[in-house]
Every structure is written in C-alpha cells, then in structure tokens.
C-alpha cells in the first residue's frame, strides 16, 4: 500500500473547489435565464450533496482510525486494531503515521500493564512466606514465660508491623488480579465485616492514644468480595490512624455509604495523599466504589465510600 503526504487535503480541496465552480456556473446560468431558477436550485442541491458524499468517503480513513481508538483495550497487548492494512487504499501518509505511532504506543501501554501486574503478583506471593514465618515466630515468643516486659513490647511491635505488611500484601494481590477472576463474590453484611476489621485494628493500636468508634445508624449488605471491602476499609482506617496520631476516629455506616473521619491537630497540616489512600483509590476505581475525600473547616477529614448497588436487610 502506498501512502502519499497531503493527499487528504488535496482531495478535500478538489471536492470543494469543484463544488464552488459548479455552484458558480449554476448561479450564472440562473441569473442569465439559461435555465429556470428552480432548475438552478436543484443543480446547487445536487452539487452540494455530491460534495458531501465525496467528503464523507475521504473522511473514512480518519473515521476508521477513530473507531480503532474507541475499540482499543489497553489490557490486550496483541490487539491488532491499528493495523495499516485496515486503512482504506491511498491513505494519506499523515494518517498512516498516526496509525503506526498509536499502534506502537498501545502495545507499550499494554505490555507495561502486564509487567506491572506480573511484578505485583510475584512480589506479593514472595512476601507471604516470610510474613507467615514472622507471625508464627512472634506468637511463639509472646508465649515464652521467660520473656520480660521489654521483650513483650518488642514482640507486640513485630506483630503490629507484620499485620500491617500482611494488609499491604493483600491489597497488592487484589490490584494484581485486576483482569483475573480469582476473587469470590457473595452477599455480606457491611457492618459485620467492619466490626471484625475494627477488632483487629484495636489490637494493633493497643497502647496508642487513638479510639476507634463505630456508629451504625443503618445496616446494609453488598454483593461482592468481603475481602476486597475489608482491605479497602483497612487502608482508610490505617491512613486515618497515621494522620490523627491521637483522638477518636469515627467509622459510620450510612445508607449505601461508609465514612471514616478523623480530626487533625489545629496547628498541624495533614497529608491527604498517603500511600494507603493511593491503594484505596485504586481499589475503589477497580470495583466501582467511588471514594471521596473531604476536609471540613473544623479540621475533620472525611473519607467517604459510596456503594451504587447496596442490598437491603
């Protein structure tokens, strides 16, 4: 297939130039009464429709390229929607270059996504084994009768750090399974999952001046993965704990919504762009549970998760 630069513009110029000449001739013929005015108007209409059809045919190469853009799936590295062979004959070289560059860009994006998923999945799996060893060793040390109070505090710190790392690995595994079907779905009660997560969080916060408070004006259920929901809420709770440092963190269950709110010190700035929030944002986008962040004038910071399709109790 041959590509020539500027053929698209030349053809469009020829079409509209021919239309202009034809309309001018028809107008002169009508003005000099060579043809009736009605015939002149019909000729102008015919010339205009012909020009439109010819332009539409020339625009086909751009239209097909736009269709390829719309049909592009960035998760598929082998999708050949940009193949130059699918372009019409005598395609303008600018359109051909654009198609070729978009094809290369699409493949790079898809391959990058695949590498990111593979790395996240492999790294998460590799971290699970040492985490299991650390947790088991910490449990054995905690039951050791000869271990003094400083040793017990160290063991608690180890258990707290391993629990946080376990939650992070779980979140990374969920994100790595973006295009997989390895997550089981079921109907679960949001309030019950939150209570279990808060019990685990209170154990980790033992000795810290932070109180976790659950308010349940309503109860509702969801159809989905309770594991994903738990990881999402854990990331928001963990972020609130790190930002607040002390005081009360309020988790509220509202109709089709869960909020996590904490109050920051008046004289301190709060970073709302922590790593936990980045993970939570990715999970919310992946499962279509919109996450909203709000900072009120009274220094309360609210993370709000909306669930478009809650189940009634």
């Amino acid at each position: 297939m041959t590509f020539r630069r500027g053929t698209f513009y030349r053809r469009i110029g020829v079409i509209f130039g021919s239309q202009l000449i034809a309309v001018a001739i028809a107008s002169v013929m009508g003005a000099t009464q060579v043809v009736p005015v009605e015939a002149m108007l019909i000729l102008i209409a015919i010339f205009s429709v012909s020009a439109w059809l010819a332009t539409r045919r020339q625009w086909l190469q751009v239209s097909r390229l736009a269709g390829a853009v719309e049909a592009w799936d960035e998760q598929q590295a082998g999708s050949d929607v940009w193949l130059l062979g699918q372009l019409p004959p005598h395609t303008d070289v600018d359109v051909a270059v654009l198609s070729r560059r978009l094809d290369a860009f699409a493949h790079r994006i898809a391959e990058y996504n695949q590498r990111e998923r593979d790395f996240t999945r492999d790294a998460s799996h590799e971290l699970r084994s040492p985490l299991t060893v650390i947790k088991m060793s910490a449990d054995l040390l905690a039951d050791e009768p000869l271990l003094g109070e400083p040793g017990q505090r160290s063991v608690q710190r180890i258990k707290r750090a391993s629990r946080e790392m376990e939650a992070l690995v779980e979140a990374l595994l969920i994100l790595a399974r973006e295009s997989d079907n390895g997550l089981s779905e079921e109907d679960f009660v949001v309030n019950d999952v939150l209570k279990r997560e808060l019990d685990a969080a209170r154990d980790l916060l033992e000795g810290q001046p932070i109180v976790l408070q659950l308010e349940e004006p309503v109860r509702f259920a969801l159809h989905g993965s309770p594991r994903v929901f738990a990881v999402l809420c854990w990331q928001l709770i963990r972020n609130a704990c790190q930002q607040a440092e002390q005081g009360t963190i309020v988790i509220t269950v509202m109709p089709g919504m869960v909020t996590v709110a904490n109050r920051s010190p008046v004289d301190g700035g709060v970073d709302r762009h922590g790593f936990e929030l980045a993970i939570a944002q990715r999970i919310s986008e992946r499962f279509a549970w919109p996450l909203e962040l709000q900072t009120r004038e009274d220094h309360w910071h609210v993370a709000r998760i909306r669930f478009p399709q809650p189940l009634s109790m």
Side-chain angles (χ1 to χ4, degrees):
M1 181 182 297
T2 31
F3 302 122
R4 296 181 179 177
R5 185 175 299 278
T7 55
F8 179 78
Y9 296 105
R10 284 198 297 270
R11 289 172 183 172
I12 294 296
V14 168
I15 290 171
F16 283 100
S18 301
Q19 180 194 19
L20 179 61
I21 294 173
V23 169
I25 292 174
S27 301
V28 171
M29 293 173 64
T32 57
Q33 298 183 351
V34 174
V35 296
V37 175
E38 294 81 2
M40 177 195 70
L41 295 177
I42 292 174
L43 286 173
I44 292 176
I46 291 173
F47 295 148
S48 299
V49 171
S50 300
W52 177 79
L53 292 174
T55 304
R56 185 171 177 268
R57 182 182 178 186
Q58 295 302 318
W59 190 255
L60 183 61
Q61 52 188 293
V62 179
S63 179
R64 288 190 179 181
L65 189 58
V69 174
E70 186 176 8
W72 174 46
D73 182 4
E74 68 276 8
Q75 303 299 332
Q76 298 179 2
S79 99
D80 294 325
V81 295
W82 317 89
L83 286 180
L84 298 180
Q86 297 183 5
L87 295 175
H90 308 296
T91 297
D92 185 82
V93 69
D94 292 332
V95 177
V97 169
L98 182 61
S99 176
R100 187 183 298 111
R101 292 300 183 184
L102 285 174
D103 178 55
F105 178 73
H107 278 75
R108 284 199 301 271
I109 290 295
E111 290 169 0
Y112 171 79
N113 288 337
Q114 186 61 46
R115 286 196 303 271
E116 182 185 30
R117 287 194 300 271
D118 292 342
F119 174 78
T120 305
R121 181 173 55 250
D122 295 341
S124 300
H125 280 299
E126 290 296 326
L127 285 172
R128 277 189 161 184
S129 297
L131 274 176
T132 302
V133 173
I134 292 173
K135 287 175 61 179
M136 293 177 62
S137 301
D139 291 338
L140 290 174
L141 282 174
D143 296 334
E144 179 62 45
L146 300 179
L147 190 65
E149 184 178 347
Q152 287 290 345
R153 287 198 300 267
S154 298
V155 169
Q156 291 303 316
R157 285 196 295 269
I158 292 173
K159 293 176 68 174
R160 180 162 51 248
S162 62
R163 174 65 180 89
E164 292 178 352
M165 179 61 71
E166 188 178 31
L168 175 60
V169 169
E170 193 76 10
L172 293 176
L173 276 174
I174 289 172
L175 294 176
R177 286 177 174 174
E178 184 174 357
S179 58
D180 300 338
N181 297 320
L183 297 171
S184 60
E185 295 187 352
E186 59 184 78
D187 293 344
F188 64 93
V189 180
V190 164
N191 306 62
D192 297 340
V193 176
L194 277 174
K195 288 178 181 178
R196 290 195 297 268
E197 289 302 307
L198 289 179
D199 288 340
R202 289 188 181 101
D203 291 340
L204 296 179
L205 293 173
E206 185 177 356
Q208 298 186 31
I210 295 179
V211 177
L212 298 179
Q213 177 180 331
L214 177 61
E215 297 183 355
E216 305 175 83
V218 299
R219 288 175 61 87
F220 72 92
L222 291 174
H223 179 78
S225 171
R227 199 178 96 196
V228 172
F229 174 79
V231 170
L232 174 58
C233 292
W234 171 259
Q235 295 300 323
L236 295 177
I237 294 170
R238 183 167 179 264
N239 178 76
C241 292
Q242 290 185 348
Q243 302 288 1
E245 296 182 355
Q246 62 180 357
T248 301
I249 295 173
V250 183
I251 298 91
T252 308
V253 181
M254 303 174 66
M257 181 191 313
V258 172
T259 64
V260 179
N262 67 281
R263 192 174 189 274
S264 65
V266 177
D267 56 349
V270 175
D271 180 13
R272 299 295 293 175
H273 303 283
F275 184 63
E276 299 82 8
L277 284 183
I279 293 179
Q281 189 69 48
R282 292 277 299 274
I283 295 176
S284 72
E285 293 172 356
R286 164 70 176 88
F287 294 92
W289 295 338
L291 172 62
E292 303 172 1
L293 302 177
Q294 178 187 15
T295 301
R296 302 199 306 236
E297 294 182 356
D298 55 359
H299 298 278
W300 275 90
H301 302 272
V302 182
R304 185 179 296 108
I305 320 169
R306 298 184 183 274
F307 304 94
Q309 297 179 333
L311 303 177
S312 57
M313 296 290 297

